[in-house]
Amino acid sequence: MTESSEQQLVIKPHFQNSVQKAQKPIQNGKGQPNLEHQNTKNRARRRSRGGRKSDQGEVVMMPNSRPCTVARKPNAPEITAGALVASTNPNPNGASNSSKSVSFAPRPGFGQVGTKCMVKANHFFAELPDKDLNQYDVTITPEVASRTVNRGIMAELVRLYRESDLGKRLPAYDGRKSLYTAGELPFVWREFNIKLVDEEDGVSGPKRERDYKVVIKFVARANLQYLGQFLAGKRANAPQEAIQILDIVLRELSSKRYCPIGRSFFSPDIRSPQRLGDGLESWRGFYQSIRPTQMGLSLNIDMASAAFIEPLPILEFVAQLLGKDVLSRPLSDSDRVKIKKALRGVKVDVTHRGNVRRKYRISGLTSQPTRELVFPVDDNSTMKSVVEYFQEMYGFTIQHAHLPCLQVGNQKKANYLPMEACKIVGGQRYTKRLNEKQITALLKVTCQRPRDRENDILKTVQHNAYNNDPYAKEFGINVSEKMTSVEARILPPPWLKYHDTGKEKDCLPQVGQWNMMNKKMINGMTVSRWACINFSRSVQESVARGFCSELAQMCQVSGMEFNTEPVIPIYNARPEQVEKALKHVYHASMNKTKGKELELLLAILPDSNGSLYGDLKRICETDLGLISQCCLTKHVFKISKQYLANVSLKINVKMGGRNTVLLDAISCRIPLVSDIPTIIFGADVTHPENGEDSSPSIAAVVASQDWPEVTKYAGLVCAQAHRQELIQDLYKTWQDPVRGTVSGGMIRDLLVSFRKATGQKPLRIIFYRDGVSEGQFYQVLLYELDAIRKACASLELNYQPPVTFIIVQKRHHTQLFANNHRDRSSTDRSGNILPGTVVDSKICHPTEFDFYLCSHAGIQGTSRPAHYHVLWDENNFTADGIQSLTNNLCYTYARCTRSVSVVPPAYYAHLAAFRARFYMEPEMQENGTSGRSAKSATGVRPLPALKENVKRVMFYC
């Protein structure tokens, strides 16, 4: 090959050179980035980008006095969208370039605060190969949708031509369009003809062969010199294609051995499958990904479990699903729906044809039983029953003709298969929602003590034997079998302040936990008017009365003023009449108090309550404007002091109170928070479950309302396009016929709310954003930081407070283990690393500002640290500053007396988004088409508005 024909791999830009193009929705959810398909179709409407000040009536954002001294800093320079957008020109020398002029915040140094210790991470050093990597485009004709078939075709090609036409190269294949080699193939372009046996054909007699044409064409070369420079910190942007190639190489052998799903591999041979109930079983597997770190390339290995459909005869599967008596009784309509949902899309083998095996995918279920089904057998419309056909054609007698048939094939030409003639093909992952019983069983299987998990990871690495992997050898990759030892620090817990009237005015948590004994809430609220509805038939009125009395006393002991008597007697109601019951209690209470509204509604629910909880929350929060607290029957009967204390904490914050604050916040000693009015945001987007292809995604944003303490948060929620990750309603403008251009959106509303609550305008913004995968960092930062800027500018001319934008990730696979599991001084009771353990070296990004923080104590299983990535930092935090702030905030979570695993504003945003999904249930039918309210211009049905008194408090707690 001549030098002139060589191309270099360049990273495609994540976004185009305009804000409008950057608004394209990210459709791949929260999973790993898909490097093959970066561009997605824009399904969201274009937002008006004008930043003009609105003429609507609003709170002017002027500073006011507060207890802490305010040292005014000059406003940060305005960061325009253009400053964030990347140039799309590759380097003139052809080097791999990220194509982005914007850089994420660089690491400002390493943290020093805390007690130093050593921990082990499930990262395994991978030595960088010294070979150039080549990429080839693969075109298979006729086109094949299945990666498994594609791999079979390429495996046959390599078997036939490796020693000859492929120049003895052993290529790695991604199952789609790309083939990679270490060193060049002897050609730039070549066509191959491959015959592949159809394994799904009969096993007796000759199998059918399929002919495929495979064209392999050179595309580009990845020079690993650039990857080496990036890992050494000499280049700012990672050459993603080179990393992707190495990742595919190390996955090639496992893809042949195991069942690949996403970045994980599963097999019933790794560990015996465990039954989960209702025809499902859990398979053990492992996650694998290669990552650039400060120590070089690292192979991240973690254990994984997933639910698979048991390879059962269909009759046995249905019997597990509905109960054994289904074989002797006719099916109800609900039975049919349940079977259809469980089996739609499932692949089955037929068992009625002797040695001939064929596989089909189930498309539906007949509405009639098998004995009533007839179909035409010739062009003369001669009809024959399914029972007769199977008897005459195959000598197969259908025993359970009262059951419906499975439908296979498409709707135009559907075939009937009796249930008893089919068996589920093994190795099919179950992607629908698990029920509570199955979730409990799966958690029991996956929950491992740290030492056991560590041992399983090490065994997996040894079993995979990467250094004997022919593909790793071909590409010159050497993988260590030792876990990485890394220096960590244990940050001290913060002192917490309680009310001065309690015996204990302040508290220093021990190993991430404390209790409310001898303490009173720092701001206990008053509840004078409350009522209780009992939806549980098993709870007698006297029991309910006793429970409410105990709860009222606990609220009083904890520092609230709580009336011991309800406004009206406890009201008993049936779950199916939830709306009627709520409105009755609401109006009866209003009548009794002469127009004064209820402050709190207690609700006793059955332990298994279906849609009752969601219906109750929707009606209370969007219709009646009621703050509610639900309690399950099992807790009402077993009155635990700990439970009552936790419920009292939740009630207090729902009423607008605060349970505890950081002592340093009271004393104005938190760097880059206490000096000037600072607002802390949390934001998250939750997406519909797999299989729901029309339900909207829900975005939630919360913001602190009580500087300098930063403990109390207000929250807003909105619906947006299906699987859209960018939060669309952070800032928006619209045309009003009277007022002209009007500004709004969640950021703007929460900034105004902060000003009303504190008398101050925020002069600093800290934004914790949850649930964003690495492949989405640039899009999310570009779009959402721009929205924050516009929201600020719409409130006041030149109002641009400096912003720190931090991504919070829990869905990663880095685990940290104690260096010595027997050392009680470095582990908690569950054997996990201690709360406050932070790591920002060796396994972290080579140049960017990220860290792992385990802020909570383990209860059971292995504690997973949260990964924080500071993408943008105009406040110039030090490593110690942001790490200590984040860790300290984790002790302010309102719902319990424990430090939590994720910084509370991000946690609250997640809770609010989850809560809001209940609001849309009545609007969304099973097919996702019918509903009461009209859709917005984006095609998304808006959520019903929260009542004003609900928005102001932490209703989601």
Side-chain angles (χ1 to χ4, degrees), residues 6-183:
E6 179 179 317
Q7 302 175 47
Q8 297 291 342
L9 282 176
V10 296
I11 295 180
K12 300 177 182 66
H14 287 257
F15 43 75
Q16 302 298 320
N17 200 8
S18 74
V19 172
Q20 281 78 12
K21 289 184 180 179
Q23 294 177 47
K24 290 185 178 183
I26 303 165
Q27 298 293 339
N28 63 339
K30 297 187 179 180
Q32 291 291 336
N34 185 343
L35 296 173
E36 297 168 342
H37 307 286
Q38 292 286 3
N39 295 322
T40 53
K41 292 184 179 179
N42 189 348
R43 298 180 185 175
R45 66 172 179 174
R46 304 294 186 187
R47 299 289 186 188
S48 169
R49 308 302 294 174
R52 291 184 298 166
K53 188 175 180 181
S54 166
D55 61 352
Q56 67 191 97
E58 60 194 26
V59 177
V60 180
M61 304 292 284
M62 296 297 291
N64 203 339
S65 60
R66 282 287 280 163
C68 291
T69 303
V70 177
R72 289 294 303 273
K73 291 188 176 183
N75 285 336
E78 181 171 359
I79 304 301
T80 64
L84 286 172
V85 178
S87 163
T88 56
N89 295 325
N91 285 350
N93 62 6
S96 176
N97 190 322
S98 77
S99 305
K100 303 179 190 71
S101 59
V102 61
S103 294
F104 293 147
R107 190 179 301 281
F110 297 95
Q112 303 297 323
V113 171
T115 305
K116 291 183 178 179
C117 65
M118 297 300 294
V119 296
K120 288 176 286 187
N122 58 337
H123 286 243
F124 299 83
F125 177 67
E127 191 175 344
L128 196 66
D130 58 1
K131 303 179 181 182
D132 277 355
L133 308 179
N134 296 268
Q135 179 183 359
Y136 294 82
D137 181 73
V138 175
T139 304
I140 298 174
T141 311
E143 190 173 342
V144 178
S146 165
R147 280 197 182 196
T148 304
V149 175
N150 281 340
R151 290 184 184 280
I153 294 166
M154 293 306 298
E156 181 67 5
L157 188 152
V158 171
R159 186 183 72 80
L160 293 173
Y161 297 106
R162 180 182 177 187
E163 296 297 319
S164 53
D165 297 54
L166 299 183
K168 298 187 177 181
R169 301 285 185 209
L170 181 62
Y173 176 52
D174 70 353
R176 295 287 190 209
K177 294 284 292 178
S178 296
L179 190 78
Y180 303 101
T181 61

Side-chain angles (χ1 to χ4, degrees), residues 68-70 664-678 707-708 764:
C68 291
T69 303
V70 177
D664 280 353
I666 294 284
S667 309
C668 300
R669 290 199 302 257
I670 302 179
L672 295 179
V673 172
S674 298
D675 54 344
I676 58 175
T678 299
W707 182 82
R764 179 186 292 114

Side-chain angles (χ1 to χ4, degrees), residues 369-409:
T370 303
R371 61 172 169 249
E372 296 177 12
L373 291 170
V374 294
F375 64 99
V377 291
D378 55 32
D379 295 337
N380 298 323
S381 296
T382 306
M383 305 301 286
K384 181 168 287 191
S385 74
V386 170
V387 174
E388 290 173 343
Y389 177 81
F390 273 82
Q391 183 66 57
E392 293 172 11
M393 190 73 180
Y394 306 112
F396 184 83
T397 303
I398 298 175
Q399 303 287 339
H400 301 282
H402 68 288
L403 296 175
C405 270
L406 302 174
Q407 289 178 301
V408 296

Side-chain angles (χ1 to χ4, degrees), residues 562-815:
F562 201 104
N563 190 344
T564 55
E565 292 298 322
V567 170
I568 60 174
I570 292 174
Y571 185 75
N572 294 305
R574 295 201 299 273
E576 60 271 20
Q577 295 185 329
V578 56
E579 185 166 7
K580 181 180 176 183
L582 288 170
K583 289 184 175 178
H584 169 78
V585 168
Y586 177 79
H587 293 299
S589 300
M590 289 267 282
N591 291 336
K592 187 72 178 290
T593 58
K594 298 180 181 178
K596 292 181 180 178
E597 292 189 347
L598 274 181
E599 294 164 332
L600 176 68
L601 176 73
L602 297 178
I604 297 172
L605 309 186
D607 293 334
S608 180
N609 54 69
S611 65
L612 174 60
Y613 176 84
D615 291 341
L616 185 146
K617 291 296 182 183
R618 172 179 54 82
I619 296 162
C620 285
E621 290 159 10
T622 67
D623 187 4
L624 302 177
L626 274 178
I627 303 299
S628 59
Q629 176 61 52
C630 296
C631 304
L632 294 178
T633 297
K634 61 184 178 183
H635 297 304
V636 172
F637 280 121
K638 182 187 174 184
I639 300 179
S640 154
K641 294 290 185 187
Q642 182 64 57
Y643 173 76
L644 293 176
N646 284 347
V647 173
S648 69
L649 295 177
K650 295 170 72 172
I651 290 174
N652 191 49
V653 295
K654 286 179 183 181
M655 302 307 298
R658 297 182 299 186
N659 297 330
T660 185
V661 297
L662 298 171
L663 190 60
D664 280 353
I666 294 284
S667 309
C668 300
R669 290 199 302 257
I670 302 179
L672 295 179
V673 172
S674 298
D675 54 344
I676 58 175
T678 299
I679 187 170
I680 300 183
F681 285 94
D684 190 21
V685 178
T686 63
H687 300 296
E689 295 176 348
N690 291 334
E692 289 188 38
D693 55 5
S694 60
S695 298
S697 292
I698 304 290
V701 181
V702 305
S704 60
Q705 301 289 294
D706 60 340
W707 182 82
E709 294 86 0
V710 291
T711 301
K712 190 160 74 173
Y713 294 81
L716 296 172
V717 291
C718 69
Q720 56 187 42
H722 176 75
R723 301 209 75 79
Q724 162 71 271
E725 184 60 50
L726 304 178
I727 302 178
Q728 295 300 291
D729 280 356
L730 287 182
Y731 174 73
K732 57 184 178 180
T733 59
W734 63 93
Q735 292 300 318
D736 183 272
V738 177
R739 296 179 292 173
T741 301
V742 181
S743 299
M746 295 194 283
I747 294 290
R748 192 180 190 281
D749 290 350
L750 289 167
L751 288 171
V752 170
S753 176
F754 180 96
R755 169 68 177 87
K756 286 179 178 177
T758 65
Q760 299 275 11
K761 67 176 180 181
L763 298 179
R764 179 186 292 114
I765 293 173
I766 301 171
F767 196 91
Y768 286 99
R769 177 64 157 89
D770 196 6
V772 181
S773 67
E774 290 173 14
Q776 301 165 335
F777 281 6
Y778 275 95
Q779 294 100 318
V780 169
L781 176 65
L782 175 69
Y783 182 83
E784 297 184 4
L785 181 58
D786 183 58
I788 294 169
R789 289 273 177 251
K790 284 183 165 62
C792 293
S794 74
L795 288 165
E796 182 181 308
L797 191 65
N798 297 323
Y799 175 54
Q800 291 295 331
V803 178
T804 297
F805 195 104
I806 308 159
I807 299 291
V808 187
Q809 291 176 309
K810 277 290 282 183
R811 297 177 68 178
H812 61 82
H813 289 270
T814 293
Q815 304 280 359

Side-chain angles (χ1 to χ4, degrees), residues 857-875:
I859 299 175
Q860 56 182 350
T862 304
S863 299
R864 181 184 297 177
H867 187 207
Y868 295 89
H869 206 122
V870 183
L871 297 190
W872 195 259
D873 183 26
E874 294 165 348
N875 291 298

